[in-house]
């Protein structure tokens, strides 16, 4: 029986290996079903999903309200292009404008496209409003950033696996150290700087949380220098870090309001959980003084703002509010880190736990950056929990936000027992 099961999984893995490009290195599990915090493999084995498709499935797999919103809309109208108006886009834009506190919304599809859009918007604003000379605008990025995979975006990457052999690169990118105010201050002295793009927590870099006050200071300097502060919340946004946005104040109400912003960005980028894992939906938000520099015909996307995406995203955001996912992530995150700290205290294999809300990571003691974290993830899989290393020795833990306290405790036990089994 077990052999047949293994053969079945093997078949699908070999199929991908033979016919698919080798641009990922997946954990060896073949998934065929998801519900809430769980996924099942082709043999019917159930796992806790602790990746949530890189924080896209915040609302849980196949949330019934999302399935309904999607199946209702798919039978009515799916794509019009923006050559015409549709009866869903304005509703989503209104919802997002009110929820996140910006005048305008520009919908795209993938996270990378939204980042590209924000960078274009920033440059155009610099020429039309700030008055920079043509083709001179620069944008500041932090080292170890991850904003996506396009040529422009990787031009600002410091990760050789993202950049090697993809040159020539886009000019106009300035790099500073993340969480280092001195290097940011120095970079902002350049008068050609139009914007700073930053992840409020660096996700792919290994859930790197900046010092308290760092983002606020950068934000204040941007205002002083008339530079746009662009927050890439593709991974941290939509309740993941225990607040609606990582740049919100301490409140986890799920509704945005001016006074609640700890740091109000000039441009906000969202993606991933904006559709709760149903389809690619991303967006750029800004106030009129910035967004209206883009005029008809100067930027667009065939699928951006399609009615199917809008119906799904609208419901995905309603779920975040109705189920208080920010509050749940906040509460469970405290429990998760408390339990993992006990493991850190007990095990030499784990150096540190860090994160906010339900975006957390364990740093594994692997000075040679070997395959310890990978081996732990493979054994976690055997024990019914799916997670993936990022950058060698760091394991990210980001379950769907619909988890219960009882489930989080069960998962902490699986992680603890698995890691201790290596000693
Ligand atoms: N920005 C951030 C902060 C991300 O974490 C990611 C993806 O992980 C992206 C942008 C790119 O999103 P996508 O993979 O949908 O293009």
């Amino acid at each position: 029986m077990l052999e047949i099961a293994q053969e079945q999984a093997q078949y699908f893995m070999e199929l991908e290996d033979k016919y698919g490009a080798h641009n990922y290195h997946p954990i060896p599990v073949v998934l065929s079903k998801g519900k809430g915090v769980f996924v099942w493999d082709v043999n019917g084995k159930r796992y806790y999903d602790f990746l949530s498709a890189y924080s896209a499935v915040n609302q849980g797999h196949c949330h019934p309200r999302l399935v309904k919103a999607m199946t209702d809309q798919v039978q009515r109208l799916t794509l019009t292009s923006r050559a015409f108006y549709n009866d869903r886009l304005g509703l989503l834009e209104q919802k997002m404008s009110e929820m996140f506190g910006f005048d305008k919304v520009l919908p795209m599809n993938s996270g990378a496209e939204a980042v590209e859009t924000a960078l274009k918007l920033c440059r155009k604003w610099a020429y039309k409003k700030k008055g920079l000379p043509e083709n001179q605008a620069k944008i500041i990025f932090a080292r170890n950033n991850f904003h996506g995979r396009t040529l422009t975006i990787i031009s600002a990457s410091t990760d050789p696996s993202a950049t090697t052999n993809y040159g020539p690169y886009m000019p106009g990118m300035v790099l500073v150290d993340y969480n280092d105010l001195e290097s940011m201050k120095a970079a902002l002295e350049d008068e050609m700087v139009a914007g700073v793009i930053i992840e409020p927590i660096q996700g792919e870099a290994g859930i790197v949380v900046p010092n308290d006050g760092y983002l606020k200071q950068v934000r204040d300097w941007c205002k002083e220098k008339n530079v746009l502060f662009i927050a890439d919340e593709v991974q941290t946004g939509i309740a993941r870090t225990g607040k609606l946005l990582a740049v919100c104040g301490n409140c986890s109400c799920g509704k945005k309001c001016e006074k609640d912003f700890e740091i109000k960005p000039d441009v906000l980028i969202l993606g991933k959980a904006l559709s709760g894992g149903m389809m690619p939906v991303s967006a750029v938000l800004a106030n009129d003084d910035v967004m209206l520099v883009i005029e008809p015909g100067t930027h667009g996307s065939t699928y951006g703002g399609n009615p199917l995406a809008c119906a799904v995203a609208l419901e995905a955001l309603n779920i975040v509010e109705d189920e208080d996912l920010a509050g749940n992530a906040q509460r469970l995150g405290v429990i998760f880190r408390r339990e993992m700290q006990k493991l850190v205290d007990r095990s030499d294999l784990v150096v540190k736990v860090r994160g906010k809300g339900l975006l957390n990571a364990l740093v594994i003691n692997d000075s040679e950056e070997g395959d310890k974290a990978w081996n732990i993830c493979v054994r976690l899989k055997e024990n019914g929990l799916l997670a993936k290393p990022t950058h060698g020795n760091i394991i990210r833990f980001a379950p769907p936000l619909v988890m219960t306290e009882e489930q989080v405790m069960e998962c902490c036990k699986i992680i603890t027992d698995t890691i201790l089994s290596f000693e």
Side-chain angles (χ1 to χ4, degrees):
M1 197 61 190
L2 187 66
E3 269 168 29
I4 294 173
Q6 271 161 359
E7 264 176 38
Q8 162 133 302
Q10 201 58 34
Y11 169 74
F12 288 111
M13 289 192 279
E14 281 171 11
L15 216 51
E16 283 194 26
D17 198 46
K18 179 155 188 235
Y19 295 105
H22 293 179
N23 57 331
Y24 279 90
H25 179 36
I27 296 281
V29 60
V30 182
L31 301 175
S32 68
K33 194 177 109 175
K35 186 100 200 90
V37 297
F38 297 112
V39 284
W40 284 261
D41 71 13
V42 281
N43 306 307
K45 178 171 171 175
R46 193 188 78 172
Y47 306 86
Y48 279 105
D49 178 3
F50 259 69
L51 188 61
S52 305
Y54 298 101
S55 297
V57 193
N58 289 4
Q59 297 83 344
H61 289 276
C62 298
H63 194 293
R65 282 175 60 182
L66 284 180
V67 171
K68 180 162 186 334
M70 190 159 196
T71 48
D72 284 355
Q73 186 63 37
V74 87
Q75 295 174 73
R76 281 202 320 125
L77 184 67
T78 56
L79 182 62
T80 55
S81 84
R82 297 288 304 280
F84 312 107
Y85 290 87
N86 72 65
D87 66 358
R88 298 290 111 173
L89 175 57
L91 297 176
L92 175 66
E93 289 169 337
Q94 181 185 34
K95 172 79 188 175
M96 292 186 74
S97 167
E98 288 171 4
M99 193 166 171
F100 297 103
F102 290 87
D103 295 337
K104 294 278 190 289
V105 179
L106 198 169
M108 297 296 285
N109 310 286
S110 68
E113 276 177 300
V115 172
E116 288 270 344
T117 301
L119 298 176
K120 286 174 74 178
L121 180 63
C122 179
R123 282 184 171 185
K124 197 155 194 181
W125 170 85
Y127 300 128
K128 291 188 69 171
K129 292 282 178 91
K130 186 175 158 109
L132 289 190
E134 207 181 331
N135 293 332
Q136 298 299 309
K138 295 179 187 170
I139 299 178
I140 299 176
F141 289 72
R143 290 199 175 81
N144 300 324
N145 67 70
F146 187 90
H147 298 287
R149 298 292 197 170
T150 65
L151 270 175
T152 297
I153 294 170
I154 63 147
S155 296
S157 172
T158 52
D159 176 0
S161 62
T163 58
T164 306
N165 290 329
Y166 289 129
Y169 305 108
M170 172 76 90
M173 319 299 214
V174 178
L175 284 168
V176 299
D177 288 337
Y178 190 68
N179 198 23
D180 177 39
L181 285 171
E182 284 313 305
S183 72
M184 181 65 81
K185 191 167 192 215
L188 281 165
E189 290 303 320
D190 185 338
E191 288 184 353
M192 293 305 133
V193 169
V196 172
I197 181 167
I198 205 140
E199 297 161 84
I201 293 174
Q202 285 192 324
E204 298 307 300
I207 320 300
V208 180
V209 183
N211 295 340
D212 285 348
Y214 170 74
L215 294 170
K216 174 87 172 70
Q217 181 63 75
V218 176
R219 204 285 153 266
D220 289 349
W221 282 339
C222 285
K223 199 169 271 173
E224 251 171 55
K225 298 276 183 191
N226 195 24
V227 160
L228 296 185
F229 181 89
I230 306 167
D232 181 350
E233 293 239 23
V234 168
Q235 185 158 164
T236 52
I238 321 211
R240 171 55 59 189
T241 66
K243 299 181 283 182
L244 180 61
L245 298 171
V247 293
C248 286
N250 284 327
C251 156
S252 64
C253 68
K255 280 206 167 61
K256 198 68 254 77
C257 49
E258 196 68 32
K259 71 172 173 22
D260 181 45
F261 269 113
E262 190 185 353
I263 308 120
K264 171 133 188 185
D266 297 300
V267 180
L268 171 68
I269 309 170
L270 295 174
K272 293 190 191 262
L274 187 50
S275 72
M278 303 307 262
M279 61 192 298
V281 186
S282 63
V284 176
L285 295 90
N287 282 340
D288 285 343
D289 57 329
V290 174
M291 189 65 94
L292 292 180
V293 301
I294 290 191
E295 297 128 346
T298 62
H299 183 67
S301 155
T302 302
Y303 273 83
N306 72 77
L308 181 57
C310 293
V312 167
L314 194 57
E315 193 65 340
L317 292 175
N318 286 332
I319 292 167
V320 170
E321 288 180 333
D322 294 348
E323 300 189 9
D324 185 23
L325 294 188
N328 205 42
Q330 167 74 28
R331 207 167 48 83
L332 297 188
V334 171
I335 295 170
F336 181 81
R337 286 186 297 281
R338 182 194 71 204
E339 293 303 306
M340 289 300 103
Q341 187 56 47
K342 291 182 194 164
L343 175 62
V344 174
D345 296 341
R346 263 178 88 181
S347 167
D348 290 339
L349 200 52
V350 193
V351 182
K352 194 176 189 173
V353 55
R354 64 182 177 220
K356 281 200 174 164
L358 283 176
L359 185 62
N360 295 293
L362 286 184
V363 182
I364 304 301
N365 187 0
D366 191 358
S367 47
E368 301 98 53
E369 302 248 327
D371 48 12
K372 279 186 194 160
W374 175 267
N375 292 338
I376 290 170
C377 287
V378 170
R379 201 172 292 176
L380 280 172
K381 179 208 77 160
E382 281 153 19
N383 295 337
L385 189 146
L386 297 181
K388 184 107 199 277
T390 175
H391 280 87
N393 67 328
I394 298 163
I395 306 177
R396 168 179 20 206
F397 291 100
L401 310 183
V402 291
M403 196 161 251
T404 64
E405 184 172 336
E406 200 184 0
Q407 288 169 332
V408 129
M409 288 303 290
E410 191 187 336
C411 292
C412 287
K413 183 163 182 349
I414 296 174
I415 297 165
T416 301
D417 291 349
T418 303
I419 289 182
L420 292 179
S421 75
F422 279 85
E423 295 192 336

